[in-house]
Amino acid sequence: MAEQGIAAATVGREVAFTKTVGESDVYLFAGITGDLSPNHVDESAMSKTRYGRRIAHGALLVGFMSNTSTQMISALGGAAVSYGYNRVRFIAPVFIGDTITVTYTIREVDRDAAKTYADVNVRNVDGAVVAAAEHILYFLAEAL
């Protein structure tokens, strides 16, 4: 049987997710969370700012980061849960209609603690990092 879970984790292992952020993504997220800030839903108000248009929620980008952590769990096998995100940064705006790629790369494996530490970067089509974080996966001894 092939190694799975923490035993299969290696430094440098990577998964990615690409998505065009649609207006429906932003509005549905705003409705679910109740975050109806003009930054996200008021084109007129945002047209008067340095951004010139609406921007996606930073927390929505964290949701896309979560997609890649789930992909990594699937790739490694076994059972794991998110232990949390550290140093989450929203470096540049993501506008409605932007295509982003989220890359999740294992940076460290701590087999004794059953944890992996990953660098998660969100890049726009120009390759610029627009959001970044560290993510920790905790591997469970028993299968779900």
Side-chain angles (χ1 to χ4, degrees):
M1 179 176 200
E3 290 183 320
Q4 64 176 5
I6 191 72
T10 55
V11 171
R13 188 153 188 175
E14 185 174 284
V15 295
F17 168 72
T18 299
K19 175 165 182 39
T20 299
V21 179
E23 185 159 359
S24 62
D25 298 318
V26 172
Y27 273 96
L28 289 169
F29 190 81
I32 290 166
T33 63
D35 182 352
L36 300 169
S37 168
N39 295 347
H40 314 303
V41 299
D42 189 335
E43 190 73 29
S44 177
M46 288 305 289
S47 71
K48 299 173 181 96
T49 71
R50 68 183 180 119
Y51 296 120
R53 54 193 165 142
R54 293 170 291 157
I55 57 177
H57 301 75
L60 178 59
L61 301 179
V62 174
F64 296 147
M65 292 178 187
S66 180
N67 173 302
T68 58
S69 71
T70 299
Q71 283 187 48
M72 185 58 76
I73 292 167
S74 180
L76 296 174
V81 294
S82 176
Y83 202 73
Y85 290 87
N86 295 327
R87 297 188 307 276
V88 177
R89 299 291 178 265
F90 305 118
I91 300 157
V94 172
F95 300 106
I96 294 171
D98 283 357
T99 299
I100 51 121
T101 298
V102 184
T103 306
Y104 186 103
T105 308
I106 296 176
R107 183 188 73 246
E108 179 184 341
V109 178
D110 183 342
R111 294 190 199 295
D112 292 334
K115 294 177 185 172
T116 59
Y117 298 82
D119 293 320
V120 188
N121 289 297
V122 181
R123 296 181 186 274
N124 62 19
V125 291
D126 297 325
V129 176
V130 295
E134 173 190 62
H135 184 252
I136 305 165
L137 276 177
Y138 175 66
F139 288 81
L140 306 172
E142 68 281 350
L144 294 177

